[in-house]
Amino acid sequence: MAVLLPPHWQTAAVLLGAWSAGLEVSYRGWATAGLSPAGAGFDATFVERRRVGNWLDDVPSGRHPFVLGLAPAGAPAPDVPAGYRDFATEVRSYLGAAPPAQLAGAGDLAAVGATFGEYGELAAGIAESYGIGPGDRVLLDAAGSEQPLMWLLAPLAAGPPSCSAPTSTRPASTSGSRPRASRTCWARRCRDRHIRANRERSRSEVY
């Protein structure tokens, strides 16, 4: 499936839903719009409304095309282009659905040319390089990187809650309650494996 969406909580829902089902995702950010050909059609496409029909972009086709308006509170898109279905409207009928019966394996493809295991290792390494650990609250500058590895998977691999913001000037929540973020099993496994490997390496260096 193809995802043409910016950093956003609805984008996180699309990506984590796809990966929970073991799907391979082709993520195409706005910064690279038009730089890659549309290519062959996908099983499903999830596209931000402003990118549909935009002369700067080359949106791939999909058997199941969805459009996202990214409106506040998850409201439906104000106008749905011909041939598309509104994601916010369609997904409501699946609220409370049972989770996938079979989880993706570490060797399955999560993205073009990258497996779930490789993505998990990269996310754990990024979290460690930024000093993110379990229990930390993270303010994300979504304008800094569109790549889900940076704004979504790295915080989840480290285990902390995450607060998303479009720019670094937006203050963190002061409500007193700590926001909760769902975690993917494969990200936790890769994080734990990464930590164990570092501990073993430290012991070998000492002895």
Side-chain angles (χ1 to χ4, degrees), residues 52-122:
V52 178
N54 191 306
W55 66 273
L56 290 173
D57 213 346
D58 195 3
V59 178
S61 62
R63 290 194 299 127
H64 303 284
F66 296 91
V67 68
L68 288 84
L70 305 181
D79 62 315
V80 179
Y84 283 83
R85 288 185 286 170
D86 178 64
F87 172 76
T89 301
E90 296 291 333
V91 77
R92 280 181 169 80
S93 62
Y94 295 96
L95 295 177
Q102 185 173 0
L103 296 176
D108 296 328
L109 286 176
V112 179
T115 66
F116 283 95
E118 290 168 341
Y119 249 34
E121 294 288 353
L122 283 171

Side-chain angles (χ1 to χ4, degrees), residues 2 8 15 19 22 36 55-56 73 75 82 97-99 101 115 125-126 142 153 157 160 165 169 182 191 194 198:
H8 193 274
L15 290 171
W19 285 326
S36 300
W55 66 273
L56 290 173
T115 66
I126 292 171
L153 297 183
T169 59
S182 62
R191 178 201 68 199
H194 187 80
N198 283 343

Side-chain angles (χ1 to χ4, degrees), residues 137-140 163-165 167-177 179:
R137 299 190 66 187
V138 183
L139 179 64
L140 302 170
C163 295
S164 167
T167 67
S168 57
T169 59
R170 183 174 176 178
S173 170
T174 57
S175 62
S177 61

Side-chain angles (χ1 to χ4, degrees), residues 148-166:
L149 267 172
M150 302 296 293
W151 63 268
L152 176 61
L153 297 183
L156 291 182
S162 64
C163 295
S164 167

Side-chain angles (χ1 to χ4, degrees), residues 8-35:
H8 193 274
W9 67 265
Q10 291 186 45
T11 305
V14 169
L15 290 171
L16 294 178
W19 285 326
S20 295
L23 301 180
E24 179 183 350
V25 174
S26 174
Y27 184 82
R28 307 184 180 195
W30 178 249
T32 57
L35 297 182

